[in-house]
Amino acid sequence: MKILPLKCKRCGRPLTGLPQDVVFVCTDCGQAFPFSFWLNLWQESREGQVDLDSPAARLIGEYVGLPHYPVLVWTDPHPQSQPCLPFWLFVVRPEFTTSDTQKQPRYESLCRDLYLLVPAFSFHGLQYIGCPGQELPLDRRPPLADGPVALRGAARDPFTAFVMAWHLILRQADRLADISNVAMSVRHTETALVAVPFTVTGDRLVLPFSERRYPVCYFDDLPALQTGT
């Protein structure tokens, strides 16, 4: 397996991050580059070193077509002087198929462009109280603008984050009608890494899109993100 250097593929700038990061941001180009097992596998598949029909190669999914991602900035407020948490933004349009004629119309509200904000940072325990981003309206695009911005702490690659997004859609669908015997397909049109500013008050973390106060103990890389080290 090839070892890839941590530098921007466009300008050659060295990329910095935290020990658990798998995605690194170039502040000059405003692009996020995944460096992980999946990207190495993508590189080897292009060079003919991996059988593209193998189960492992099929798992790389979107990496075949998307080796880098734009970085967007949450604009309310603009995080010029605040540390940021990384989130993945997925723009998707789901479709549902079922033989139950009474269920089918109930899913129509989800059959439109949806904007899913999924944590890209490392955490533990948040799944029990609800991950940040899940309280946002799925049919409303967040207030975002082009970067660049200093961003670290991206310890979740877009492949695994998309699994969380898929689950989020299914959970919303299940609230409309029981999803047993229902097939869902998702047309995916956009992926971006989003820098969302945060503040810490006492032992609680606050994000601009939520009234919730999250316990800081759930955010693994928070001390390094606050100090910039």
Side-chain angles (χ1 to χ4, degrees):
M1 181 170 290
K2 181 177 294 185
I3 297 177
L4 302 176
L6 286 177
K7 65 179 182 180
C8 177
K9 297 178 183 178
R10 291 185 171 183
C11 68
R13 177 188 178 94
L15 304 175
T16 60
L18 300 179
Q20 301 302 316
D21 286 357
V22 296
V23 179
F24 300 84
V25 173
C26 178
T27 55
D28 287 345
C29 296
Q31 296 288 316
F33 300 93
F35 286 80
S36 65
F37 166 76
W38 303 109
L39 186 61
N40 283 341
L41 187 58
W42 171 81
Q43 182 70 28
E44 291 182 353
S45 68
R46 294 193 66 184
E47 297 174 355
Q49 300 175 27
V50 172
D51 180 6
L52 289 175
D53 292 327
S54 68
R58 285 197 294 271
L59 284 175
I60 64 177
E62 294 175 342
Y63 279 89
V64 173
L66 295 172
H68 58 84
Y69 305 86
V71 178
L72 304 176
V73 180
W74 189 276
T75 59
D76 186 21
H78 193 284
Q80 288 182 328
S81 58
Q82 289 180 263
C84 296
L85 282 173
F87 286 78
W88 286 109
L89 172 71
F90 300 106
V91 183
V92 301
R93 181 182 287 264
E95 293 183 359
F96 300 87
T97 305
T98 176
S99 58
D100 190 330
T101 56
Q102 293 182 337
K103 282 185 183 180
Q104 187 72 46
R106 299 184 185 180
Y107 302 118
E108 289 182 359
S109 61
L110 290 177
C111 297
R112 62 182 70 184
D113 283 346
L114 302 181
Y115 304 91
L116 306 170
L117 207 61
V118 177
F121 50 85
S122 177
F123 63 84
H124 66 278
L126 277 178
Q127 65 270 27
Y128 303 117
I129 64 172
C131 291
Q134 295 184 8
E135 62 268 57
L136 292 170
L138 294 185
D139 60 350
R140 197 175 308 161
R141 186 178 181 89
L144 304 175
D146 292 337
V149 64
L151 183 62
R152 301 193 304 168
R156 179 170 288 103
D157 63 60
F159 179 83
T160 53
F162 193 72
V163 175
M164 297 177 64
W166 189 280
H167 172 73
L168 223 152
I169 301 172
L170 285 176
R171 191 178 66 179
Q172 293 291 334
D174 196 43
R175 291 174 180 174
L176 299 173
D178 179 22
I179 57 173
S180 58
N181 299 318
V182 176
M184 183 182 76
S185 61
V186 174
R187 181 169 62 87
H188 171 221
T189 58
E190 183 181 346
T191 298
L193 192 64
V194 177
V196 179
F198 68 89
T199 56
V200 173
T201 303
D203 62 349
R204 291 292 187 268
L205 182 143
V206 182
L207 292 160
F209 55 72
S210 177
E211 296 181 356
R212 299 183 65 180
R213 302 295 185 264
Y214 295 94
V216 298
C217 60
Y218 290 138
F219 299 81
D220 297 338
D221 292 325
L222 192 59
L225 293 174
Q226 288 180 285
T227 60
T229 58

